Amino acid sequence: MDDVTPKLLDAIQNDFGDLLSKNRTLACIAEKAKYGKVTYKEAHTYAAELGKILSQAYSNHLSSETLPDGKMYFNIAQRILQPTLGNNYELASEIAMQAQKAVNKKAKIGLAVKKPDLNQDKIDGIINRISSEDNFDDASWILDEPVVTFSQSVVDEVLKTNADLHAVYGLHPRIIRTTVGKCCKWCQSITGVYDYPGGAPRDIFRRHNRCRCTTEYSPNGTKRQDVWLKKWRTVPKSALRLNNDISVGHSSGAMFKNAYSVKLPDGRYARLAGGTKITKIKVFAGKGTDVPIREANMLEKAYHYKAKDWEKARGEGIIRDEGENKKAELHWYQVGKGKKKEIVKMKVKRFMNES
Ligand SMILES: [Zn+2]
């Protein structure tokens, strides 16, 4: 008997390609992704749409009439479903990763977007289910909604993979799950905004057939990042003239301490003496020099400014330590210009012999 599989696969892939190129929703979202403007909600729409057109392409060519003995044998199911579902995974994860990239950029998260592994178990589940049926027509629904659900799950997996990564790096991801249309009670019960992973329900990424719920990285999480960054920005205003002397104010308080506490050679921390200046400032590594900063990637991860923008600088200042003013050579990292300049990780390189 002729092997019908290559012909069927070919026809399905052709139809899928046609439907893809004619679909305005897909084209529009892909275009937005190209310009870094796509959202997770749109990624879900995109994935669901991919699922629908793939399911359409299946039903155009698969039936009890076209399949040998009217059923989809395991080996046929595998050779047709594996590459086509795998293709949906590639397309859906690409758009979802663009959505995550946009989130990261807005929140100034310097981590690269991670691609989730293909969920082979889900594909195997569909293959096993359809090939266990004696009559394809009675079970053709398996290549309908479950294919849409599979495609949308890819978006959930991109979100989960990256939220997990952010949590590992000490960020505070939040995830929103929203019901779309009239979903079931179960879905309504897990709708909400959650700190992830700690505060989230166990099933936050689960979906049943016909579930169009969306999951996304919370923009509130984003806002929180901004607030945190502002804290770093607000204080050192007087200190902000690039490579001019840095005046040390008299104010104290938590933010002041953050910006100006100085690590001493013995590991303790002290403050710059109020009302003094840091002078003879010179940038000696990083941006604009030939010397790379070894810790640049660490700085990017910790402070969300790009690794390439950091400068390492030195200058002379007065440290207030154990009731005494001590002159010291100081080293620190800085980034940004004017009012947005940040100074971090200041330390005493050596004490100088005068007070
Ligand atoms: Zn749902």
Side-chain angles (χ1 to χ4, degrees), residues 177-180 182-184 186-188 190-191 206-214:
R177 179 162 171 143
T178 315
T179 49
V180 173
K182 277 187 185 168
C183 215
C184 61
W186 179 78
C187 282
Q188 271 160 17
I190 54 171
T191 287
R206 277 189 66 189
R207 54 180 71 242
H208 51 80
N209 279 335
R210 301 190 188 283
C211 172
R212 293 281 185 277
C213 292
T214 61

PDB file of all heavy atoms in Angstrom, residues 177-180 182-184 186-188 190-191 206-214, ligand 1:
ATOM      1  N   ARG A 177      -3.508  36.689  35.497  1.00  0.00           N
ATOM      2  CA  ARG A 177      -4.306  35.772  34.685  1.00  0.00           C
ATOM      3  C   ARG A 177      -5.699  36.361  34.552  1.00  0.00           C
ATOM      4  O   ARG A 177      -6.305  36.758  35.539  1.00  0.00           O
ATOM      5  CB  ARG A 177      -4.375  34.384  35.325  1.00  0.00           C
ATOM      6  CG  ARG A 177      -5.235  33.437  34.489  1.00  0.00           C
ATOM      7  CD  ARG A 177      -4.992  31.989  34.808  1.00  0.00           C
ATOM      8  NE  ARG A 177      -5.989  31.169  34.122  1.00  0.00           N
ATOM      9  CZ  ARG A 177      -5.734  29.984  33.591  1.00  0.00           C
ATOM     10  NH1 ARG A 177      -4.535  29.467  33.664  1.00  0.00           N
ATOM     11  NH2 ARG A 177      -6.690  29.302  33.003  1.00  0.00           N
ATOM     12  N   THR A 178      -6.181  36.425  33.323  1.00  0.00           N
ATOM     13  CA  THR A 178      -7.459  37.060  33.044  1.00  0.00           C
ATOM     14  C   THR A 178      -8.350  36.085  32.290  1.00  0.00           C
ATOM     15  O   THR A 178      -7.882  35.416  31.368  1.00  0.00           O
ATOM     16  CB  THR A 178      -7.243  38.299  32.137  1.00  0.00           C
ATOM     17  OG1 THR A 178      -6.139  39.044  32.630  1.00  0.00           O
ATOM     18  CG2 THR A 178      -8.470  39.183  32.113  1.00  0.00           C
ATOM     19  N   THR A 179      -9.626  36.027  32.652  1.00  0.00           N
ATOM     20  CA  THR A 179     -10.552  35.198  31.876  1.00  0.00           C
ATOM     21  C   THR A 179     -11.001  35.987  30.658  1.00  0.00           C
ATOM     22  O   THR A 179     -11.112  37.203  30.696  1.00  0.00           O
ATOM     23  CB  THR A 179     -11.816  34.812  32.681  1.00  0.00           C
ATOM     24  OG1 THR A 179     -12.322  35.993  33.272  1.00  0.00           O
ATOM     25  CG2 THR A 179     -11.520  33.797  33.739  1.00  0.00           C
ATOM     26  N   VAL A 180     -11.215  35.272  29.576  1.00  0.00           N
ATOM     27  CA  VAL A 180     -11.674  35.921  28.353  1.00  0.00           C
ATOM     28  C   VAL A 180     -13.027  35.311  28.019  1.00  0.00           C
ATOM     29  O   VAL A 180     -13.176  34.099  27.972  1.00  0.00           O
ATOM     30  CB  VAL A 180     -10.673  35.681  27.206  1.00  0.00           C
ATOM     31  CG1 VAL A 180     -11.237  36.201  25.892  1.00  0.00           C
ATOM     32  CG2 VAL A 180      -9.348  36.354  27.520  1.00  0.00           C
ATOM     33  N   LYS A 182     -16.853  34.099  28.517  1.00  0.00           N
ATOM     34  CA  LYS A 182     -17.470  33.408  29.645  1.00  0.00           C
ATOM     35  C   LYS A 182     -16.737  32.112  29.874  1.00  0.00           C
ATOM     36  O   LYS A 182     -17.082  31.071  29.328  1.00  0.00           O
ATOM     37  CB  LYS A 182     -18.943  33.129  29.356  1.00  0.00           C
ATOM     38  CG  LYS A 182     -19.832  34.319  29.642  1.00  0.00           C
ATOM     39  CD  LYS A 182     -21.285  33.933  29.513  1.00  0.00           C
ATOM     40  CE  LYS A 182     -22.165  35.168  29.692  1.00  0.00           C
ATOM     41  NZ  LYS A 182     -23.544  34.900  29.295  1.00  0.00           N
ATOM     42  N   CYS A 183     -15.704  32.169  30.652  1.00  0.00           N
ATOM     43  CA  CYS A 183     -14.992  30.931  30.926  1.00  0.00           C
ATOM     44  C   CYS A 183     -15.634  30.263  32.148  1.00  0.00           C
ATOM     45  O   CYS A 183     -16.589  30.757  32.715  1.00  0.00           O
ATOM     46  CB  CYS A 183     -13.504  31.190  31.122  1.00  0.00           C
ATOM     47  SG  CYS A 183     -12.508  29.831  30.482  1.00  0.00           S
ATOM     48  N   CYS A 184     -15.072  29.158  32.544  1.00  0.00           N
ATOM     49  CA  CYS A 184     -15.713  28.374  33.591  1.00  0.00           C
ATOM     50  C   CYS A 184     -15.401  28.914  34.991  1.00  0.00           C
ATOM     51  O   CYS A 184     -14.593  29.813  35.163  1.00  0.00           O
ATOM     52  CB  CYS A 184     -15.242  26.933  33.486  1.00  0.00           C
ATOM     53  SG  CYS A 184     -13.466  26.817  33.715  1.00  0.00           S
ATOM     54  N   TRP A 186     -13.823  27.421  37.346  1.00  0.00           N
ATOM     55  CA  TRP A 186     -12.432  27.107  37.708  1.00  0.00           C
ATOM     56  C   TRP A 186     -11.512  28.232  37.258  1.00  0.00           C
ATOM     57  O   TRP A 186     -10.656  28.702  38.000  1.00  0.00           O
ATOM     58  CB  TRP A 186     -12.014  25.775  37.068  1.00  0.00           C
ATOM     59  CG  TRP A 186     -10.605  25.389  37.371  1.00  0.00           C
ATOM     60  CD1 TRP A 186     -10.146  24.839  38.537  1.00  0.00           C
ATOM     61  CD2 TRP A 186      -9.463  25.533  36.527  1.00  0.00           C
ATOM     62  NE1 TRP A 186      -8.787  24.635  38.468  1.00  0.00           N
ATOM     63  CE2 TRP A 186      -8.352  25.053  37.249  1.00  0.00           C
ATOM     64  CE3 TRP A 186      -9.277  26.022  35.232  1.00  0.00           C
ATOM     65  CZ2 TRP A 186      -7.056  25.037  36.704  1.00  0.00           C
ATOM     66  CZ3 TRP A 186      -8.003  26.011  34.695  1.00  0.00           C
ATOM     67  CH2 TRP A 186      -6.905  25.524  35.436  1.00  0.00           C
ATOM     68  N   CYS A 187     -11.700  28.684  36.014  1.00  0.00           N
ATOM     69  CA  CYS A 187     -10.871  29.768  35.498  1.00  0.00           C
ATOM     70  C   CYS A 187     -11.096  31.047  36.295  1.00  0.00           C
ATOM     71  O   CYS A 187     -10.150  31.762  36.612  1.00  0.00           O
ATOM     72  CB  CYS A 187     -11.159  30.018  34.025  1.00  0.00           C
ATOM     73  SG  CYS A 187     -10.361  28.804  32.965  1.00  0.00           S
ATOM     74  N   GLN A 188     -12.371  31.314  36.601  1.00  0.00           N
ATOM     75  CA  GLN A 188     -12.643  32.529  37.373  1.00  0.00           C
ATOM     76  C   GLN A 188     -11.966  32.484  38.738  1.00  0.00           C
ATOM     77  O   GLN A 188     -11.516  33.500  39.245  1.00  0.00           O
ATOM     78  CB  GLN A 188     -14.154  32.733  37.518  1.00  0.00           C
ATOM     79  CG  GLN A 188     -14.705  33.555  36.353  1.00  0.00           C
ATOM     80  CD  GLN A 188     -16.191  33.386  36.166  1.00  0.00           C
ATOM     81  OE1 GLN A 188     -16.887  32.918  37.068  1.00  0.00           O
ATOM     82  NE2 GLN A 188     -16.680  33.753  35.001  1.00  0.00           N
ATOM     83  N   ILE A 190      -9.120  31.313  39.456  1.00  0.00           N
ATOM     84  CA  ILE A 190      -7.684  31.607  39.458  1.00  0.00           C
ATOM     85  C   ILE A 190      -7.337  32.904  38.716  1.00  0.00           C
ATOM     86  O   ILE A 190      -6.180  33.185  38.451  1.00  0.00           O
ATOM     87  CB  ILE A 190      -6.824  30.442  38.915  1.00  0.00           C
ATOM     88  CG1 ILE A 190      -7.289  30.017  37.540  1.00  0.00           C
ATOM     89  CG2 ILE A 190      -6.796  29.276  39.878  1.00  0.00           C
ATOM     90  CD1 ILE A 190      -6.336  29.028  36.894  1.00  0.00           C
ATOM     91  N   THR A 191      -8.365  33.698  38.408  1.00  0.00           N
ATOM     92  CA  THR A 191      -8.118  35.014  37.828  1.00  0.00           C
ATOM     93  C   THR A 191      -7.521  35.925  38.882  1.00  0.00           C
ATOM     94  O   THR A 191      -7.938  35.886  40.035  1.00  0.00           O
ATOM     95  CB  THR A 191      -9.457  35.595  37.322  1.00  0.00           C
ATOM     96  OG1 THR A 191      -9.819  34.895  36.144  1.00  0.00           O
ATOM     97  CG2 THR A 191      -9.345  37.058  36.997  1.00  0.00           C
ATOM     98  N   ARG A 206      -2.189  26.552  34.000  1.00  0.00           N
ATOM     99  CA  ARG A 206      -2.940  25.439  33.411  1.00  0.00           C
ATOM    100  C   ARG A 206      -4.115  25.946  32.590  1.00  0.00           C
ATOM    101  O   ARG A 206      -4.705  26.970  32.904  1.00  0.00           O
ATOM    102  CB  ARG A 206      -3.453  24.511  34.521  1.00  0.00           C
ATOM    103  CG  ARG A 206      -2.390  23.531  34.959  1.00  0.00           C
ATOM    104  CD  ARG A 206      -2.948  22.491  35.877  1.00  0.00           C
ATOM    105  NE  ARG A 206      -3.920  21.610  35.216  1.00  0.00           N
ATOM    106  CZ  ARG A 206      -4.665  20.740  35.882  1.00  0.00           C
ATOM    107  NH1 ARG A 206      -4.577  20.653  37.192  1.00  0.00           N
ATOM    108  NH2 ARG A 206      -5.509  19.968  35.231  1.00  0.00           N
ATOM    109  N   ARG A 207      -4.444  25.244  31.536  1.00  0.00           N
ATOM    110  CA  ARG A 207      -5.662  25.584  30.812  1.00  0.00           C
ATOM    111  C   ARG A 207      -6.349  24.327  30.299  1.00  0.00           C
ATOM    112  O   ARG A 207      -5.709  23.348  29.955  1.00  0.00           O
ATOM    113  CB  ARG A 207      -5.397  26.589  29.699  1.00  0.00           C
ATOM    114  CG  ARG A 207      -4.318  26.196  28.708  1.00  0.00           C
ATOM    115  CD  ARG A 207      -4.125  27.263  27.649  1.00  0.00           C
ATOM    116  NE  ARG A 207      -3.484  28.463  28.153  1.00  0.00           N
ATOM    117  CZ  ARG A 207      -4.043  29.654  28.160  1.00  0.00           C
ATOM    118  NH1 ARG A 207      -5.273  29.828  27.698  1.00  0.00           N
ATOM    119  NH2 ARG A 207      -3.393  30.703  28.624  1.00  0.00           N
ATOM    120  N   HIS A 208      -7.673  24.397  30.288  1.00  0.00           N
ATOM    121  CA  HIS A 208      -8.463  23.276  29.775  1.00  0.00           C
ATOM    122  C   HIS A 208      -8.843  23.608  28.333  1.00  0.00           C
ATOM    123  O   HIS A 208      -8.615  24.734  27.862  1.00  0.00           O
ATOM    124  CB  HIS A 208      -9.720  23.105  30.625  1.00  0.00           C
ATOM    125  CG  HIS A 208     -10.472  24.392  30.789  1.00  0.00           C
ATOM    126  ND1 HIS A 208     -11.305  24.894  29.817  1.00  0.00           N
ATOM    127  CD2 HIS A 208     -10.446  25.318  31.780  1.00  0.00           C
ATOM    128  CE1 HIS A 208     -11.793  26.047  30.231  1.00  0.00           C
ATOM    129  NE2 HIS A 208     -11.280  26.348  31.408  1.00  0.00           N
ATOM    130  N   ASN A 209      -9.451  22.665  27.624  1.00  0.00           N
ATOM    131  CA  ASN A 209      -9.894  22.947  26.255  1.00  0.00           C
ATOM    132  C   ASN A 209     -10.881  24.098  26.227  1.00  0.00           C
ATOM    133  O   ASN A 209     -11.664  24.284  27.144  1.00  0.00           O
ATOM    134  CB  ASN A 209     -10.550  21.707  25.656  1.00  0.00           C
ATOM    135  CG  ASN A 209      -9.493  20.748  25.154  1.00  0.00           C
ATOM    136  OD1 ASN A 209      -8.379  21.170  24.836  1.00  0.00           O
ATOM    137  ND2 ASN A 209      -9.831  19.479  25.092  1.00  0.00           N
ATOM    138  N   ARG A 210     -10.816  24.867  25.168  1.00  0.00           N
ATOM    139  CA  ARG A 210     -11.672  26.035  24.953  1.00  0.00           C
ATOM    140  C   ARG A 210     -11.386  27.155  25.936  1.00  0.00           C
ATOM    141  O   ARG A 210     -12.143  28.101  26.032  1.00  0.00           O
ATOM    142  CB  ARG A 210     -13.167  25.674  25.022  1.00  0.00           C
ATOM    143  CG  ARG A 210     -13.520  24.653  24.000  1.00  0.00           C
ATOM    144  CD  ARG A 210     -15.015  24.431  23.853  1.00  0.00           C
ATOM    145  NE  ARG A 210     -15.193  23.290  22.961  1.00  0.00           N
ATOM    146  CZ  ARG A 210     -15.048  23.355  21.647  1.00  0.00           C
ATOM    147  NH1 ARG A 210     -14.804  24.515  21.059  1.00  0.00           N
ATOM    148  NH2 ARG A 210     -15.178  22.279  20.905  1.00  0.00           N
ATOM    149  N   CYS A 211     -10.313  27.060  26.663  1.00  0.00           N
ATOM    150  CA  CYS A 211      -9.966  28.113  27.604  1.00  0.00           C
ATOM    151  C   CYS A 211      -9.142  29.153  26.848  1.00  0.00           C
ATOM    152  O   CYS A 211      -8.100  28.845  26.296  1.00  0.00           O
ATOM    153  CB  CYS A 211      -9.132  27.535  28.742  1.00  0.00           C
ATOM    154  SG  CYS A 211      -8.449  28.749  29.865  1.00  0.00           S
ATOM    155  N   ARG A 212      -9.636  30.366  26.810  1.00  0.00           N
ATOM    156  CA  ARG A 212      -8.891  31.432  26.122  1.00  0.00           C
ATOM    157  C   ARG A 212      -8.294  32.418  27.142  1.00  0.00           C
ATOM    158  O   ARG A 212      -7.953  33.540  26.788  1.00  0.00           O
ATOM    159  CB  ARG A 212      -9.795  32.203  25.158  1.00  0.00           C
ATOM    160  CG  ARG A 212     -10.272  31.397  23.993  1.00  0.00           C
ATOM    161  CD  ARG A 212      -9.209  31.272  22.911  1.00  0.00           C
ATOM    162  NE  ARG A 212      -9.769  30.592  21.752  1.00  0.00           N
ATOM    163  CZ  ARG A 212      -9.863  29.275  21.648  1.00  0.00           C
ATOM    164  NH1 ARG A 212      -9.419  28.498  22.614  1.00  0.00           N
ATOM    165  NH2 ARG A 212     -10.404  28.727  20.584  1.00  0.00           N
ATOM    166  N   CYS A 213      -8.224  32.013  28.375  1.00  0.00           N
ATOM    167  CA  CYS A 213      -7.664  32.889  29.409  1.00  0.00           C
ATOM    168  C   CYS A 213      -6.273  33.355  28.978  1.00  0.00           C
ATOM    169  O   CYS A 213      -5.555  32.640  28.295  1.00  0.00           O
ATOM    170  CB  CYS A 213      -7.542  32.143  30.735  1.00  0.00           C
ATOM    171  SG  CYS A 213      -9.136  31.756  31.454  1.00  0.00           S
ATOM    172  N   THR A 214      -5.933  34.557  29.391  1.00  0.00           N
ATOM    173  CA  THR A 214      -4.594  35.041  29.082  1.00  0.00           C
ATOM    174  C   THR A 214      -3.755  35.109  30.351  1.00  0.00           C
ATOM    175  O   THR A 214      -4.277  35.274  31.448  1.00  0.00           O
ATOM    176  CB  THR A 214      -4.624  36.450  28.450  1.00  0.00           C
ATOM    177  OG1 THR A 214      -5.208  37.361  29.388  1.00  0.00           O
ATOM    178  CG2 THR A 214      -5.419  36.459  27.157  1.00  0.00           C
TER     179      THR A 214
HETATM  180 ZN    ZN B   1     -10.047  29.719  31.003  1.00  0.00          ZN
END
